[in-house]
Amino acid sequence: MQQLKRLTIGAVLSIFSVQILAAQVLITKEQKQNATQLMQTALKSDLGMEIVTSLTTEIGPRLGGSEAEKRARNWGLKLGERLGFDTTKIEEFTMPFWDRGHLHISLTSPYQQDLYGTALGGAAPTKETINANVVYFRDIHALTEVKDNSLTGKVAFIDGDMMVKSQTGAGYGQANQRRRIGWQHAQRAGASALVVRSVGSDSHRFPHSGMMSSDGDKWADIPVIAISNPDADHLRRLHNLGKPLAISLHSESKWKGEVSSGNVILDLIGSEKPEEIVLIGGHLDSWDLGTGAVDDGAGIAITTAAAALIAKLPKRPKRTIRVVMFGAEEVGLLGAFAYAKQHEANLKNHVLATESDFGAQTIWQLVSNVNPKATLLIDEIAKILSPLGIVRGGSDVAGGGPDIIPMAAKGVPTIRLNQNGRDYFDLHHTPDDTLDKINPNELAQNIAAYAASIYLIADSEVELKP
Ligand SMILES: [Zn+2]
């Protein structure tokens, strides 16, 4: 009886404590009102479009390490000052600079026809114009099986399949293998050059650029060129007809030594816990074929505008909100690694990090990688974002965006507001990545989602570390 009584009291107590937990307020009424107000303001604001228009028009293409990227850093600094950030600075780092230079590539057999191509990042120049027969490989796997020195005096062409469009961009990593490591096998086999099908989901005659992977600290000794999907289709059909393929190729792309780049850091200093940092951002550099509107002028605009709207609230959130405009992302996450190194001792104070680097189509999902209690907070934030058409996704999704990888690897918690990526790989790294591709209403929805969620996390006292 005594035991039963104790059990009953225990049960009552445990029900009571569950109720206390459930009743604990993770987001106050006032915070919810502020977040809702931020979303409404963002949906009516032109600030994001103004930012990405200015960046892509006044600065233009911004290859990592270039003079243009330096102009972009100064642009970012001035923008931060104008928008009312409390502190603004540039943190420099050094990096090797690869320049694209001029390219000409044409089919010479079975007949003369220009191809639309572009050098891949890290590729070597042609010593003199290459005129050579082409050996066709159906995909990267076929090339990986090639014997050493079996392609001497020839050009290898890696075909593959066009990327299938999807909301999440699934398939990119796999398709990207030919761009990343194809050169290592072509070079091992003694080929004079490598040509690959572009990694993209469009059927326009735009080549998709992108960085190759180094082999340890070694880069390609041969030219490596991506051609457009329709050009790759054309080569496949000619190959299937049994026609001998030959090309003429001249490329000037090359490494040009050490230069400086940098990250732009804009802070809204927290009112109660200024040492705790909620980091958001995008990358300031772009590939040089287009003006980097979608990749990643949009991410710069979304995160800077979101923080600028929060800056207009009567009171700063409790924690510091930091916008980082990362440098030299496309050429190997160089700004991200520099940031993680320069802030190594202080990463423990980074309570959360997230990057927008997947275009500017509508955000549809919020995922996170935080501790169980903070997961409840993110659940509550997702409910507040639901009028924007955003649903809650996984609570154990690592990532946060490319430039967040080095920080996340050191234990910084992450969330990600996932954009619909259906059209992203039509434009990705092509000359077609231009301002007209950004829909102002969709961009505003992105800013609304960032402003509300980042405000709520920065004004919270919930610890997010796993
Ligand atoms: Zn990007």
Side-chain angles (χ1 to χ4, degrees), residues 283 295-296 329-330 357 424:
H283 64 86
D295 185 12
D296 187 24
E329 186 269 354
E330 296 290 7
D357 184 22
Y424 187 69

Side-chain angles (χ1 to χ4, degrees), residues 39 366 380-390 417 448-449 452-453:
M39 290 196 289
L366 172 60
E380 292 300 310
I381 292 174
K383 285 180 199 156
I384 292 172
L385 300 184
S386 67
L388 297 172
I390 296 169
L417 288 155
S453 54

Side-chain angles (χ1 to χ4, degrees), residues 121-132:
T126 45
K127 289 178 190 82
E128 51 194 34
T129 299
I130 293 172
N131 285 292

